[in-house]
Amino acid sequence: MLALEDTIVEMLLEEAIVEKLRNDGPCCFDDVVAGLPNFGWGQIFVAVDCMSRDGRVFLRQLGYSTYQISLGSQRTEFSS
């Protein structure tokens, strides 16, 4: 039963991340963590990692350890 509960929590977390990004637009990772107090930093990190690998969200490094998360449909290309 634990695996099913973990899957449900993961799905709820992913939905919460998408909803936060829909409401607030692109956010720094720390803002997402602060906006989802019912989930731990590690849980959010793993969810964002999985979601970025399949294109549901995109990550952009803003600074040494600062990352911005945006929805896949809101991706903006930047040239360096």
Side-chain angles (χ1 to χ4, degrees):
M1 233 0 154
L2 186 56
L4 178 59
E5 291 173 5
D6 289 344
T7 301
I8 291 170
V9 169
E10 183 178 318
M11 289 172 52
L12 291 172
L13 173 54
E14 290 175 356
E15 289 176 17
I17 291 169
V18 168
E19 189 64 25
K20 174 148 183 61
L21 295 173
R22 277 191 190 132
N23 290 335
D24 299 347
C27 299
C28 289
F29 181 80
D30 291 338
D31 294 332
V32 173
V33 171
L36 301 174
N38 294 327
F39 299 98
W41 184 95
Q43 290 175 297
I44 296 170
F45 180 87
V46 169
V48 167
D49 180 55
C50 291
M51 294 170 74
S52 71
R53 290 175 190 268
D54 65 19
R56 288 180 283 164
V57 299
F58 289 95
L59 295 172
R60 183 166 73 101
Q61 188 171 8
L62 299 178
Y64 175 72
S65 63
T66 304
Y67 290 85
Q68 182 184 64
I69 306 166
S70 60
L71 289 175
S73 62
Q74 296 178 343
R75 184 176 183 190
T76 303
E77 293 292 335
F78 292 91
S79 59
S80 48

